[in-house]
Amino acid sequence: KSLKEGKAEELAALPLDERLKRRIIDGEKNGLDDDLAEALTTRKALDIVNDTLLDGMKVVGELFGSGQMQLPFVLQSAEVMKAAVAYLEPHMERAEGEEGKGTIVLATVRGDVHDIGKNLVDIILSNNGYNVVNLGIKQPVSAILDAAAEHKADVIGMSGLLVKSTVIMKENLEELNQRKLAADYPVILGGAALTRAYVEQDLHELYEGEVRYARDAFEGLRLMDALIAVKRGVPGATLPPLKQRRVPLREPKFEEPAGVGRSDVAVGNPVPAPPFWGTRVVKGIPHKEYTSWLDEAALFKGQWGLKGDTIEAEGRPRLRMWLDRLRTENLLEAAVVHGYFPCVSKGDDLIILDENGHERTRFTFPRQPRGRRLCLADFFRAEDSGETDVVGLQIVTVGSKIGEATAELFASGSYRDYLELHGLSVQLAEALAEYWHARVRAGLGIADREPEGLDGMLRTEYQGCRYSLGYPACPDLEDRAKIADLLRPERIGVHLSEEFQLHPEQSTDAIVVHHPEASYFNAGRAGGGR
């Protein structure tokens, strides 16, 4: 007897109520409609949702919180919940003036294109009975407040991945203060660049209403439950305690060494000859050439939220399925624009030259305040050395089709597929960047000491480091405009937004530095997203 048949029998043996709850917990859609039809013969649709199905979702949240359930399975449960509610909806009569569980307006803040975190919050809240108004990405505060007024929102949720987004969230809270709306709208904030201390200490002091930090979608759900209970005056309802402010330690004072010159980076390394000067466009790169560069650990653990045995049992078969689908549905449009440019350095600046040796543009990079005092510019010949150096630049993309397919999955309620395809698209762009970076090293003739396997590559055991903008050695995203000016990426369908984000999202840029000592270092400033 197959596992599936065994599971169906096990479900069939349960009382109807238990069976419906188990369907939610197990993410099992087969036979759902029949069970709901049977339940409707004795109970109201709204009671089935509130008393049975939401109970199942509560268990899912508890299992996720205790580490017994992994994210893809949580999303499978949410899919069944959504399907069940869609089936029951025509049978629900809402009494006049009856309050729902509560309404939240969700948005990714102005200038930020990242929406996976916000969309996961949408999935979890909406499938736990809340009304979610999801405004999408790049939302100015005026649009957020208009929507909050229109939908009579109980709570506002703001999300963002970039360091700059944390500043915009602060400005948005100040705007709510100014408009005297803080008392009306408790705010939940989330995103990779935020910390609990920043939200629950600094922003809490600034905001005249309630502001809280949600590390993930389930903390968002717990906060929503608490905020609504407090707002509606439920006896005994309280909010979770805030992170206490610690007395800041006195920063030790470092004496700046006399003279702020170059670091001790060697200057006698040979300058390689590039295969050409200027730029080239390459389109239609076969997927098998770069899918072998996929960082599976980053995909399975980081993007898909899998761990342990589930990686072998679920992760690998799902990855094979997706790669087959991407091929058959033709969703990958891998393209690269890359180039080699003559350059010299001066202090903290890398100066890109034209064919006559005149300055074309310059990048200014931060220098470590102590230690080796490294700066990216140090890895290139100095202007007064009499020699000209070479720098590689690249922008890669897997195209916009895969992003469109991802958005369709979210819209249709295929939540697990949405999470997986989004995560895979991000890692495929990274794989393409790694693959092309290896081509650039070969083109510069510095690929003779390449490591054997992909693991060594991912640990950068080679000469010729690749730096993406927004990372600590080159944190200034505005430099993207200079790279775009040099490479003209619109030729491969990649555009720069006014906030210096690459569109489509599944695209990355990089500066390739051939110096043998070049490695990743922190220049003492926080960087943003990719």
Side-chain angles (χ1 to χ4, degrees), residues 361-400:
T361 190
R362 72 169 63 201
F363 297 89
T364 302
F365 299 117
R367 182 174 294 282
Q368 288 178 322
R370 57 192 75 92
R372 283 185 73 188
R373 303 184 55 76
L374 290 170
C375 170
L376 268 193
D378 297 354
F379 296 116
F380 297 93
R381 288 294 198 274
E383 187 178 43
D384 56 13
S385 70
E387 281 183 273
T388 301
D389 216 316
V390 58
V391 64
L393 298 174
Q394 67 177 49
I395 292 178
V396 312
T397 185
V398 290
S400 55

Side-chain angles (χ1 to χ4, degrees), residues 197 201-202 205 244-252:
Q201 294 170 4
D202 304 355
E205 280 172 27
Q244 289 302 303
R245 180 175 281 288
R246 290 186 302 277
V247 178
L249 292 168
R250 283 202 113 104
E251 281 279 314

Side-chain angles (χ1 to χ4, degrees), residues 257-398:
V260 188
R262 289 169 85 93
S263 61
D264 57 4
V265 166
V267 292
N269 60 303
V271 173
F276 61 89
W277 292 106
T279 68
R280 299 253 169 104
V281 166
V282 186
K283 291 182 179 175
I285 300 161
H287 31 76
K288 61 177 184 297
E289 293 196 13
Y290 61 93
T291 48
S292 60
W293 289 78
L294 191 65
D295 182 345
E296 291 188 353
L299 175 70
F300 294 142
K301 295 177 188 166
Q303 301 285 352
W304 289 5
L306 294 173
K307 46 186 185 260
D309 298 341
T310 331
I311 289 175
E312 289 305 322
E314 292 272 342
R316 286 189 199 289
R318 298 280 296 180
L319 174 58
R320 280 195 297 274
M321 176 277 288
W322 278 118
L323 291 174
D324 281 348
R325 265 183 74 175
L326 292 178
R327 277 192 286 273
T328 54
E329 294 175 28
N330 223 2
L331 290 178
L332 292 169
E333 305 162 302
V336 173
V337 56
H338 73 124
Y340 301 94
F341 299 87
C343 62
V344 290
S345 67
K346 185 177 185 179
D348 298 348
D349 293 356
L350 174 65
I351 303 166
I352 307 290
L353 306 171
D354 63 17
E355 55 277 15
N356 303 314
H358 299 134
E359 179 175 331
R360 190 170 164 186
T361 190
R362 72 169 63 201
F363 297 89
T364 302
F365 299 117
R367 182 174 294 282
Q368 288 178 322
R370 57 192 75 92
R372 283 185 73 188
R373 303 184 55 76
L374 290 170
C375 170
L376 268 193
D378 297 354
F379 296 116
F380 297 93
R381 288 294 198 274
E383 187 178 43
D384 56 13
S385 70
E387 281 183 273
T388 301
D389 216 316
V390 58
V391 64
L393 298 174
Q394 67 177 49
I395 292 178
V396 312
T397 185
V398 290

Side-chain angles (χ1 to χ4, degrees), residues 29-253:
K29 256 188 209 155
N30 281 335
L32 174 69
D33 289 3
D34 293 345
D35 283 357
L36 291 170
E38 191 184 330
L40 278 171
T41 60
T42 57
R43 296 164 63 203
K44 288 198 167 111
L46 207 55
D47 294 344
I48 299 169
V49 172
N50 290 336
D51 303 340
T52 305
L53 303 179
L54 284 176
D55 242 17
M57 279 307 289
K58 191 165 178 266
V59 174
V60 169
E62 286 159 3
L63 290 171
F64 180 75
S66 63
Q68 294 173 73
M69 190 185 254
Q70 294 168 35
L71 188 56
F73 305 105
V74 171
L75 296 182
Q76 220 162 287
S77 292
E79 282 180 36
V80 178
M81 182 73 189
K82 187 182 172 90
V85 172
Y87 181 92
L88 293 171
E89 216 135 35
H91 305 278
M92 289 188 204
E93 324 104 36
R94 276 249 156 87
E96 266 309 300
E98 183 192 323
E99 285 185 298
K101 250 182 106 174
T103 297
I104 183 169
V105 165
L106 273 186
T108 300
V109 297
R110 177 170 60 83
D112 203 317
V113 298
H114 299 90
D115 65 355
I116 181 86
K118 166 183 64 64
N119 287 348
L120 292 178
V121 174
D122 178 351
I123 292 165
I124 297 307
L125 289 180
S126 59
N127 288 291
N128 275 281
Y130 287 105
N131 176 29
V132 178
V133 180
N134 186 340
L135 300 181
I137 59 173
K138 299 198 293 188
Q139 293 296 317
V141 67
S142 55
I144 297 171
L145 294 177
D146 288 351
E150 183 193 335
H151 296 278
K152 300 187 172 55
D154 297 292
V155 178
I156 288 172
M158 292 187 275
S159 171
L161 185 129
L162 306 172
V163 170
K164 191 177 171 195
S165 299
T166 63
V167 179
I168 288 166
M169 288 177 189
K170 180 173 181 249
E171 291 167 3
N172 290 358
L173 292 175
E174 286 168 342
E175 177 81 10
L176 276 147
N177 282 348
Q178 257 172 340
R179 294 201 198 185
K180 304 277 185 281
L181 291 172
D184 300 340
Y185 297 119
V187 175
I188 298 175
L189 301 177
L194 284 172
T195 63
R196 190 174 297 281
Y198 175 67
V199 176
E200 297 189 356
Q201 294 170 4
D202 304 355
L203 297 185
H204 197 268
E205 280 172 27
L206 164 112
Y207 189 49
E208 288 158 13
E210 223 18 281
V211 61
R212 293 300 168 114
Y213 168 76
R215 191 173 56 97
D216 57 31
F218 281 96
E219 187 169 9
L221 174 62
R222 288 194 296 278
L223 284 168
M224 190 69 182
D225 287 344
L227 287 166
I228 296 290
V230 168
K231 197 164 191 179
R232 296 200 174 157
V234 174
T238 57
L239 289 171
L242 285 162
K243 187 179 174 72
Q244 289 302 303
R245 180 175 281 288
R246 290 186 302 277
V247 178
L249 292 168
R250 283 202 113 104
E251 281 279 314
K253 286 213 166 10

